[in-house]
Amino acid sequence: MAFYVAVGPRGLLFRAGMILTGVMGSLSYWLASRRRTATLLTPGSWPAALPVAEAPSDLPAAPDDRALAGPVPAMHLDEAAGEEFGESVSDLSGLVLLDPLC
Amino acid sequence: MKITVAALQMPSEPGQVAANLERADALLTKAHQADTALAVLPELFNTGYGLHPDFALHAEGIEGPTLRHLSRRSREWRMGIAGGFVERDGRHLYDALALCLPSGSVHVYRKRNLVFWEPFRFRRGRSPLVVPTPWGRIGLAICADMIQRPVWDDYRGRIDLAVIAAAWPDFACRHSTRAHWLFGGLGPLSAEIPAKVAGDLDVPVIFANQCGVTRTTIPVLGLGLVQEIADRFTGRSSICDARRNPPVIAEGGPRLVLSDILISDPRGPHSWRSTSPSVPAVFSSAPG
């Protein structure tokens, strides 16, 4: 199989590594899957209910309400097209990033 | 046909399904408020992407909490939602991508090109998946799938829109910023490949990637001998419309990427036919 993009002169090593880990991984996976019960956990048996909040029922849906979607668009790479095609990248930095693992 | 689509870029905490689903729901709500027709979440957004001891704890089928919730949101908001999850089918686990449609149908694609530690935890998917939707035929791919030429050869001329969910790392130490000696060149490809696919296949591409820190595990001779990188996901989620230039690309950090795209001559569900016996719906169901 060929790569869709050039991955440089180390592509052959990359390919060989993928084949090797593919073979060893498949063996490891097969052994693990034999030990696994074929019974799928039913949703009711999940350890905890998912506390997903209901969305407000009065959410605006009209295109004119796009301004309510969040911060002012931060990126307009194509100003001319931007009039015809609304495009934005909203900064949601309020969301919590994971702490570094090390 | 012009529609608004969204790529939802978010970090996921390993194993914290409920918290991750809540985080995704906040982004989905914003996408809905922006009148989005189709929103895409990253690969394994609910479980987090990384070498878990056992993904079976968080694997689920069509009736699992993640897909139930996404499907309910899809029907409620009349918005297509795609998101990566761990699918369980009998004894087997798959790195999968579900596409929930407003009609209630759920289509599941299984990642075909597993890399690094993934073959140790997941079974390889066998088939490409083309889903007929009101917005045209959508082809699905997951992360490392997009680096393989056969994946796009399968979809060439058969889809109107490509959706890619990813957890693509930088392959560079986040402390020293030094790139990995072998895989360091792969990180920047996360921004390049979607644009290349859009131009090559002449279809819009929605690419949703994770962001935040991760630990990239590279098996050397099996999981007993590994190399780990204190890494981060590249982010750089994008929406590339082949008829427009340049694409909309996010930087790092949580982002909602919105863009209008043009889909020419969408065939829709009524005129769609499977283009090949090898392009079946892996799973499709319409709950009542």
Side-chain angles (χ1 to χ4, degrees):
Chain A
M1 285 197 301
F3 288 118
Y4 186 65
V5 290
V7 295
R10 294 169 176 141
L12 262 182
L13 189 53
F14 183 27
R15 176 69 68 197
M18 285 176 63
I19 293 171
L20 182 62
T21 56
V23 170
M24 300 195 67
S26 298
L27 179 61
S28 171
Y29 172 84
W30 179 73
L31 291 172
S33 67
R34 278 169 56 94
R35 293 192 296 269
R36 192 178 297 133
T37 173
T39 308
L40 175 65
L41 289 173
T42 60
S45 67
W46 274 56
L50 295 172
V52 174
E54 291 293 324
S57 58
D58 56 348
L59 285 171
D64 290 347
D65 294 330
R66 185 172 301 181
L68 298 175
V72 175
M75 182 182 291
H76 283 280
L77 298 175
D78 185 346
E79 291 294 338
E83 296 179 7
E84 176 68 21
F85 302 92
E87 56 188 36
S88 66
V89 180
S90 301
D91 186 353
L92 303 176
S93 54
L95 294 180
V96 179
L97 285 170
L98 297 179
D99 291 326
L101 294 174
C102 65
Chain B
M1 175 189 288
K2 189 176 77 171
I3 60 171
T4 302
V5 297
L8 280 50
Q9 178 170 297
M10 58 175 274
S12 296
E13 298 182 47
Q16 303 299 311
V17 175
N20 294 331
L21 196 47
E22 275 196 319
R23 187 175 292 174
D25 205 55
L27 285 167
L28 285 171
T29 301
K30 286 185 175 293
H32 166 63
Q33 290 170 329
D35 201 28
T36 297
L38 176 62
V40 182
L41 289 156
E43 175 185 18
L44 302 187
F45 80 93
N46 62 341
T47 62
Y49 178 91
L51 182 57
H52 292 210
D54 187 5
F55 274 101
L57 294 173
H58 305 296
E60 56 185 278
I62 188 76
E63 293 300 328
T66 301
L67 290 200
R68 247 192 356 221
H69 179 74
L70 294 185
S71 185
R72 183 166 61 88
R73 283 288 189 241
S74 175
R75 295 194 304 272
E76 179 183 3
W77 289 342
R78 312 301 300 167
M79 177 171 76
I81 301 174
F85 72 111
V86 180
E87 183 199 7
R88 181 159 185 171
D89 183 7
R91 295 179 187 277
H92 292 296
L93 305 181
Y94 297 91
D95 184 345
L97 175 61
L99 175 59
C100 304
L101 296 177
S103 64
S105 64
V106 178
H107 306 265
V108 177
Y109 168 79
R110 296 166 175 170
K111 186 174 184 178
R112 288 181 282 164
N113 297 279
L114 303 175
V115 293
F116 302 122
W117 55 266
E118 295 169 356
F120 293 80
R121 293 291 181 269
F122 301 118
R123 193 182 199 198
R124 192 180 303 276
R126 304 292 178 192
S127 308
L129 179 63
V130 177
V131 180
T133 74
W135 316 291
R137 303 159 300 172
I138 298 181
L140 304 178
I142 302 176
C143 203
D145 279 335
M146 69 180 185
I147 205 171
Q148 304 291 346
R149 181 176 296 280
V151 169
W152 301 117
D153 288 343
D154 284 340
Y155 288 142
R156 192 183 307 277
R158 298 172 174 176
I159 60 175
D160 304 302
L161 172 65
V163 162
I164 306 170
W168 193 286
D170 224 2
F171 296 101
C173 176
R174 63 175 176 269
H175 305 303
S176 67
T177 68
R178 190 173 62 188
H180 185 264
W181 68 275
L182 178 58
F183 301 112
L186 296 182
L189 295 180
S190 64
E192 296 173 18
I193 296 179
K196 180 175 165 65
V197 171
D200 189 16
L201 272 61
D202 196 26
V203 297
V205 176
I206 310 171
F207 171 69
N209 196 15
Q210 283 203 28
C211 61
V213 301
T214 184
R215 185 179 291 274
T216 297
T217 305
I218 302 171
V220 180
L221 291 173
L223 272 183
L225 182 58
V226 301
Q227 182 178 18
E228 288 196 329
I229 307 171
D231 206 345
R232 68 174 71 246
F233 295 110
T234 59
R236 311 213 74 185
S237 298
S238 61
I239 297 171
C240 309
D241 191 334
R243 297 162 194 84
R244 304 177 57 222
N245 206 11
V248 183
I249 302 177
E251 296 301 322
R255 294 285 193 278
L256 172 63
V257 185
L258 286 171
S259 181
D260 289 350
I261 59 171
L262 263 182
I263 300 176
S264 61
D265 190 26
R267 309 289 169 85
H270 299 297
S271 61
W272 181 86
R273 292 187 308 164
S274 179
T275 50
S276 154
S278 66
V279 190
V282 173
F283 183 85
S284 181
S285 106

